[in-house]
Amino acid sequence: MIHIVGHTAIDHISKVAHLPEKNCSTHITDRQIYYGGGAANIAAGIAMLGEKVTLHSCVGSDFKGSDYDRWMTKLGVGQQFFVVPDAHTPTAFMFTDETGDQMTFFEWGASRAFHTSEAPALPFVHMATADPEFNCRVAEKGEFVSFDPGQDVFWYNKEQLDSIISNADILFANQHEVKQMCETLGITRDALIARVGMAIFTMSGDGSTLYTKGKEHFIPVVPVTLADPTGAGDSYRAGFLSAYVRGYDPLTCCKIGTVAASHVVEHVGCQTHLPDRAAMEARYTKNFGELPAPVR
């Protein structure tokens, strides 16, 4: 069982010609509403790949019985929710320009309840975007801890990041988040990598890099037609974690994550085009050769 901690959210995804500068505006050329939230995206991706998963999240009273609630139930995602009656389910407003650059505004809504909620003690937990103090408490209690600061990286102070990374077995981040963590902690990239057993750094269309046991492994992207980059990182984590609990070696896990992400970016929306295991295996074989057997 994989436990995912963090946001469940409603995504308002818009396309713009360009991201405006301060005090300027731009035209929205398209706007759609989708299911989202980093933790929920990862949990949905894991469920689609056939692994058991429980989502620990905060939602408003508007969530129960909603289409989103029914979707998660249909996928088989276990739900351990803190329901906040007088708050909205968190909502993200994302704007992507023609080059793929993105800007996000996030309404925490019910997720503010994380700050005072009791943290569960979990055997295998991945912490996605959530309240920093809550994630610190989860990391301290977790037996095996995976951490992904996501776009909430700017909310973490030095003490919080230091505490979580000291308890983390796996660290996921993109190049922007790595830079911010290093600045917050006052350490180099190499020093950050040395602090965890395994680090996976993604670089958008330039692939990803796995750092483990003093070695560095580059994983290229799977070439597809890009429709929207939103949710690619979440799907990568879902693919990796699903493979990891099945006993695959870390490099194969990264390749499975890359394949999962390639499906998501072909369509707009973080949960619109999640691959099942058969689809993942077919694309893995096409791009990386035969899927090896698990090693543990």
Side-chain angles (χ1 to χ4, degrees), residues 72-92:
M72 297 301 272
T73 300
K74 179 181 178 181
L75 289 178
V77 175
Q79 300 176 5
Q80 293 292 325
F81 288 156
F82 305 106
V83 180
V84 185
D86 298 324
H88 294 135
T89 295
T91 304

Side-chain angles (χ1 to χ4, degrees), residues 4-283:
I4 310 296
V5 171
H7 299 304
T8 295
I10 307 299
D11 287 346
H12 293 248
I13 300 178
S14 299
K15 291 183 179 179
V16 296
H18 65 276
L19 297 174
E21 297 180 3
K22 183 179 179 180
N23 297 322
C24 295
S25 66
T26 188
H27 292 290
I28 292 174
T29 57
D30 183 71
R31 182 174 70 88
Q32 303 293 333
I33 300 175
Y34 299 95
Y35 305 143
N41 294 337
I42 295 169
I46 290 170
M48 276 293 292
L49 288 168
E51 296 303 322
K52 293 182 178 180
V53 60
T54 295
L55 173 62
H56 301 256
S57 203
C58 293
V59 297
S61 56
D62 55 348
F63 186 82
K64 186 173 178 58
S66 67
D67 290 343
Y68 199 171
D69 185 16
R70 289 190 289 270
W71 165 246
M72 297 301 272
T73 300
K74 179 181 178 181
L75 289 178
V77 175
Q79 300 176 5
Q80 293 292 325
F81 288 156
F82 305 106
V83 180
V84 185
D86 298 324
H88 294 135
T89 295
T91 304
F93 301 88
M94 286 167 277
F95 304 89
T96 304
D97 70 12
E98 294 176 351
T99 67
D101 286 334
Q102 193 174 77
M103 183 178 293
T104 301
F105 297 84
F106 192 75
E107 177 192 4
W108 275 60
S111 281
R112 295 193 182 281
F114 272 129
H115 192 70
T116 55
S117 298
E118 181 178 354
L122 303 169
F124 188 110
V125 58
H126 175 77
M127 300 179 304
T129 49
D131 178 81
E133 281 297 327
F134 184 78
N135 273 354
C136 284
R137 298 194 296 273
V138 171
E140 289 171 358
K141 292 183 177 181
E143 294 179 23
F144 187 92
V145 175
S146 172
F147 176 51
D148 166 22
Q151 293 180 331
D152 285 348
V153 66
F154 298 99
W155 288 82
Y156 288 86
N157 61 37
K158 182 177 181 179
E159 291 71 23
Q160 291 165 339
L161 269 182
D162 185 69
S163 174
I164 290 179
I165 290 174
S166 294
N167 288 289
D169 298 282
I170 302 176
L171 173 64
F172 289 94
N174 64 29
Q175 63 268 40
H176 308 296
E177 294 152 5
V178 171
K179 180 181 178 182
Q180 183 59 44
M181 282 190 287
C182 290
E183 289 181 1
T184 300
L185 291 167
I187 61 176
T188 65
R189 177 190 175 96
D190 289 342
L192 177 63
I193 293 168
R195 290 195 58 182
V196 293
M198 194 182 309
I200 299 96
F201 295 160
T202 56
M203 300 168 287
S204 300
D206 294 325
S208 59
T209 305
L210 165 69
Y211 302 90
T212 183
K213 296 181 179 179
K215 295 183 178 180
E216 177 179 332
H217 306 272
F218 173 73
I219 304 93
V221 297
V222 170
V224 295
T225 300
L226 176 69
D228 179 32
T230 311
D234 296 333
S235 186
Y236 186 109
R237 288 144 180 73
F240 181 100
L241 294 170
S242 299
Y244 192 83
V245 296
R246 284 201 174 210
Y248 288 100
D249 67 271
L251 183 56
T252 298
C253 292
C254 287
K255 292 177 181 178
I256 290 174
T258 297
V259 169
S262 75
H263 281 82
V264 169
V265 302
E266 290 179 309
H267 293 254
V268 179
C270 299
Q271 298 179 34
T272 308
H273 197 233
L274 297 169
D276 59 17
R277 184 161 182 84
M280 180 277 292
E281 288 186 356
R283 186 167 290 186

